[in-house]
Amino acid sequence: MKRILITRPRAQADDFAEKLHSAGFEPIFFPVIEIRPIENNVELEQALASLNNYDWVVFTSVNGVDVVFNNPSLPKGDRQAGDRGLGARVAAIGPKTAEALQARGVTPDFVPDEYVAESIVPGLGDLRDRWVLLPRAEIARKALPEAIKEAGGIPHEIAVYQTLPAQPEPDGLAALRSGVDVVTLTSPSTVQNFTAIARQHGLDPLHLPGNPLFACIGPITEQAAREEGFTNLMVAREYTTEGLLEIIRNLEVS
């Protein structure tokens, strides 16, 4: 039975782990990041109090959705979706982000076919002199706000959560020391933190026991992995955990 290391935050890993187990793999939890909302976020509170000033709100992750909808400054009617959702058109990058919005009663107006930030701008229409709210991670890539600027829009990027290094669980660390078959990587921050944590515990991330493959959720994560020196890489064709599961399953028949 192939052993698959899951580096996502523990709270977001259960569904993926269940799917791996059902497919005949042994999932191993090894969270390398934790998500922490930014407290006393005055800039976010002010933006949520004036959502009608924005033409679009673009959510790039489930984490951003969670922080916005859990913020008490979001008007009650908006928390319940109402007739116009958030008072502006809403875009979501990736099906999981769209599902998180739908679970709160908001159906995205646009979800790009390719689940990377740069792909969303063409679907937002004419952005000239239009404000776009971007509730994002503190260390988010700048490609999306730059693309909005190039299209004539006015991006208002607000850091709403931090991506912090996590302490590895003893069982996960023991599994990594004994050898796993695949390490899954779902963001540049998981790449960077996995690398740092491995080194902190006396392991060479580029030469791990068992010589595992590194399964990247998409090309942005793959690029981050290559920059760290990883070469034993494979990339999901669909940039989701389902896409990761597909390429891991393909290992069994290749």
Side-chain angles (χ1 to χ4, degrees), residues 44-61:
L44 176 62
E45 292 171 0
Q46 292 174 341
L48 296 181
S50 56
L51 282 169
N52 287 327
N53 292 336
Y54 298 94
D55 196 70
W56 283 95
V57 181
V58 178
F59 290 96
T60 58
S61 71

Side-chain angles (χ1 to χ4, degrees), residues 76-158:
K76 184 177 180 181
D78 290 336
R79 283 202 297 271
Q80 295 176 347
D83 293 333
R84 275 296 301 138
L86 292 177
R89 286 178 287 178
V90 177
I93 296 180
K96 294 298 183 184
T97 306
E99 288 172 12
L101 286 165
Q102 289 166 344
R104 291 164 173 83
V106 176
T107 299
D109 296 278
F110 177 63
V111 181
D113 293 331
E114 189 176 13
Y115 311 140
V116 294
E118 294 87 330
S119 298
I120 207 163
V121 173
L124 302 183
D126 185 0
L127 288 179
R128 287 174 294 180
D129 299 322
R130 298 182 183 274
W131 284 81
V132 181
L133 180 61
L134 303 172
R136 311 179 75 201
E138 189 175 49
I139 58 171
R141 297 166 58 243
K142 297 301 180 183
L144 179 55
E146 288 173 357
I148 291 171
K149 283 181 182 178
E150 289 176 3
I154 307 166
H156 185 191
E157 186 177 18
I158 300 177

Side-chain angles (χ1 to χ4, degrees), residues 9 22 32 44 65 72 85-87 91 104-105 110 152 162 164 180 185 203 208 234 248:
S22 297
V32 299
L44 176 62
V65 174
L86 292 177
R104 291 164 173 83
F110 177 63
Q162 297 172 308
L164 303 174
V180 298
L185 301 169
L203 293 166
L208 291 169
M234 54 185 183
I248 292 169

